[in-house]
Amino acid sequence: MADLGDTISLRKGQGIAPFEVQRAHSAVLKLDGDLKSELGAEVKARLLPRKGQTRIRARIGTGAPPGAHKAVLVSDAGEFPVVVDVPEKKKLRLSPSSIEITGRPGDSVQASFLVKNTGNVALTVPAGGVTGLFASDGLAGAFAAAYGSNAEAPLEVFGEFILGLRRSYLGLMHVKLTAKSKKPLPPGEARDITGEFTLPEPLNPGTPLGTGRRFHATLVMQHLRLVVRVTLSAPKKKGDSR
């Protein structure tokens, strides 16, 4: 095995080697340990000339375990020791990633999801979160309020615009996620979960709540996100039962 003094380091499958190749050609990265168990005995690599050195590109799969892994680069130029540095990737994905629900202020609406760990470390599924609901026509309504204002002073017209935006905000929606298992989700695995969406009572008394009005929100939780679109049914009337 060739001795370069310092071991070649690859991060995210790429690195620079202190030797020179005359042309681009294919090579092989022989793996060991946990990396071998996950990806197999070897993966393909590509060597490219780069100003007296060599750029290395290897196909390290997204499921590779994090850490520093020893490997050997085998090419026409010889065999060289390599350390493959795989950073932690923490990411969950909900399916569906966006959802449309219908309800009226104060209602709790349930929906089913599949959550998958698309990272390379075990992750705990978030218990939920809180996000604001904004009318989908809110910006257009705010402009209409400003354009239709009888005010002449610029600040008063701008004030009408701001008031229009405030009327387009419904309030904070609480989201709760539950699953049968509370154990961390291993990489590559998926789990069924239930989402419960509690629609807020209007924060602003002037917020229109007509049947069919649409609101939207983006819920950002640890390692995942969910887009929610809400269509309002008729507001609850006094004496109504749920």
Side-chain angles (χ1 to χ4, degrees):
M1 183 178 298
D3 183 11
L4 298 177
D6 295 324
T7 300
I8 300 169
S9 178
L10 298 184
R11 183 173 177 82
K12 295 184 178 180
Q14 299 191 41
I16 300 296
F19 61 83
E20 185 176 4
V21 295
Q22 299 303 317
R23 58 179 177 80
H25 64 275
S26 299
V28 170
L29 199 61
K30 292 188 175 181
L31 308 179
D32 197 6
D34 292 341
L35 208 56
K36 180 179 179 180
S37 299
E38 183 66 30
L39 304 180
E42 59 185 44
V43 296
K44 293 181 179 179
R46 187 72 174 165
L47 305 187
L48 304 168
R50 185 182 184 274
K51 298 180 180 179
Q53 297 179 315
T54 298
R55 177 179 292 278
I56 304 172
R57 295 178 180 172
R59 298 180 179 275
I60 306 300
T62 56
H69 307 275
K70 291 183 179 180
V72 176
L73 177 68
V74 180
S75 73
D76 293 346
E79 298 185 5
F80 307 95
V82 174
V83 171
V84 181
D85 184 11
V86 180
E88 281 192 353
K89 180 184 177 183
K90 298 180 178 181
K91 188 175 182 180
L92 298 171
R93 184 176 63 203
L94 279 178
S95 181
S97 58
S98 64
I99 187 172
E100 296 191 13
I101 59 177
T102 300
R104 51 192 184 185
D107 280 354
S108 290
V109 182
Q110 290 192 342
S112 297
F113 298 90
L114 184 72
V115 59
K116 184 176 181 179
N117 186 344
T118 58
N120 59 10
V121 292
L123 294 172
T124 300
V125 178
V130 179
T131 184
L133 277 175
F134 302 87
S136 299
D137 61 356
L139 187 59
F143 275 115
Y147 292 150
S149 173
N150 293 322
E152 294 294 337
L155 286 180
E156 291 182 9
V157 175
F158 182 67
E160 290 293 337
F161 177 77
I162 296 300
L163 290 175
L165 288 180
R166 293 184 64 184
R167 288 192 293 270
S168 72
Y169 176 65
L170 185 61
L172 292 175
M173 178 175 64
H174 292 258
V175 181
K176 181 180 179 182
L177 302 180
T178 56
K180 292 182 179 180
S181 174
K182 294 184 179 180
K183 295 181 179 179
L185 186 62
E189 294 193 11
R191 180 177 297 163
D192 291 317
I193 62 173
T194 299
E196 183 178 26
F197 303 82
T198 301
L199 305 184
E201 299 287 351
L203 185 65
N204 189 328
T207 300
L209 298 176
T211 302
R213 194 173 193 207
R214 295 173 63 84
F215 291 79
H216 65 270
T218 299
L219 178 63
V220 179
M221 297 168 281
Q222 193 171 30
H223 312 312
L224 61 77
R225 67 198 298 272
L226 173 66
V227 175
V228 184
R229 295 178 177 84
V230 178
T231 300
L232 292 184
S233 56
K236 180 182 178 183
K237 296 180 182 179
K238 189 174 181 180
D240 280 354
S241 59
R242 292 199 178 277

